[in-house]
């Protein structure tokens, strides 16, 4: 019963490097999203997807790319890492059948950019 | 723009007390509100989801209420235990998509 799985759990990057944060869910959920959590700022939406092939920007999309080629996977790409992207990243999924379904979150990826 | 506020930011109570956590939101046009628990260094665990048409939801010692017109929700924890120590987050869903707006959380400590 895996739910939402994020990899890696921890990552240290140098400024300017690129990387992909992985997110996979095994619940056949249509909706997936990425949030970042920062002290004093709470959780903020980066990008989201309502189904395979469909993505859209959230509140803080700059510096991040996403794609959704399958229902299960929703990777988040950092194009050129900056210290301001040091944060904890959470992936979430939700069943799209109706608006009143719970969101389920992964365990998070703690990213440090030096 | 929806804004969600949680008061207090931190709370410390002795074991066995009943307690109430508060969540307020500025835009009452919501689909639902969800309460989460987050343990240090961990992800978010869903506790309760209240639909906009509902007034309350219960799960074990937890009871969440919703007053959409006044933009308020409360999470009531009965007979608190040290294992309840965590950060509690509320989040509102304003649209049929995936936009959750989170409050800043209440960090709860229950002392034995």
């Amino acid at each position: 019963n895996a739910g939402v799985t994020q990899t890696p759990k921890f990552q240290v990057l140098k400024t300017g490097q690129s990387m992909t944060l992985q997110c996979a869910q095994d619940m056949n959920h249509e909706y997936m999203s990425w949030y970042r959590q920062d002290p004093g700022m709470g959780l903020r939406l980066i990008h989201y997807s309502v189904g395979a092939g469909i993505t859209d920007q959230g509140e803080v999309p700059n510096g991040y790319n996403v794609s959704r080629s399958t229902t299960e996977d929703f990777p988040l790409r950092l194009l050129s890492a900056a210290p301001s992207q040091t944060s904890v990243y959470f992936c979430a999924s939700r069943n799209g059948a109706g608006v009143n379904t719970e969101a389920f979150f992964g365990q998070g990826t703690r990213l440090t950019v030096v | 723009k929806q804004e969600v506020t949680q008061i207090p930011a931190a709370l410390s109570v002795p074991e066995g007390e009943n307690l109430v956590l508060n969540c307020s939101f500025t835009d009452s046009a919501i689909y639902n509100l969800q309460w989460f628990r987050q343990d240090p260094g961990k992800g978010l665990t869903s506790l309760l989801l209240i639909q906009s048409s509902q007034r309350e939801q219960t799960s074990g010692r937890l009871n969440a209420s919703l007053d959409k017109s006044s933009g308020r929700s409360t999470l009531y924890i009965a007979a608190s235990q040290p294992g309840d120590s965590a950060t509690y987050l509320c989040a509102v869903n304003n649209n049929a998509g995936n936009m959750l707006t989170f409050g800043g959380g209440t960090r709860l400590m229950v002392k034995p």
Side-chain angles (χ1 to χ4, degrees), chain B residues 2 25-31 52 67-72 94:
Chain B
Q2 177 75 271
F25 46 94
T26 55
D27 184 351
S28 62
I30 66 171
Y31 282 93
S52 62
D67 184 343
K68 200 174 72 160
S69 61
S70 67
R72 294 177 187 273
N94 269 108

Side-chain angles (χ1 to χ4, degrees), chain A residues 37-108:
Chain A
Q37 186 175 35
D38 302 290
M41 302 293 290
L43 281 105
R44 294 177 292 169
L45 182 68
I46 305 172
H47 285 286
Y48 66 97
S49 169
V50 298
I54 306 169
T55 63
D56 207 345
Q57 297 181 352
E59 183 183 358
V60 288
N62 292 341
Y64 307 96
N65 269 2
V66 292
S67 60
R68 184 94 179 273
S69 56
T70 67
T71 300
E72 295 78 18
D73 300 299
F74 191 44
L76 178 72
R77 280 182 286 278
L78 279 70
L79 308 173
S80 177
S84 61
Q85 294 178 304
T86 294
S87 186
V88 182
Y89 292 84
F90 289 101
C91 179
S93 75
R94 184 167 74 80
N95 187 337
V99 299
N100 287 309
T101 57
E102 287 179 274
F104 293 89
F105 281 74
Q107 291 299 298

Side-chain angles (χ1 to χ4, degrees), chain B residues 11-28:
Chain B
L11 181 64
S12 180
V13 300
E15 182 177 4
E17 270 203 9
N18 302 324
L19 59 99
V20 174
L21 307 181
N22 297 293
C23 173
S24 61
F25 46 94
T26 55
D27 184 351
S28 62

Side-chain angles (χ1 to χ4, degrees), chain B residues 8-9 30 43 47 67 88 92:
Chain B
I30 66 171
L47 297 174
D67 184 343
Y88 291 81
V92 299

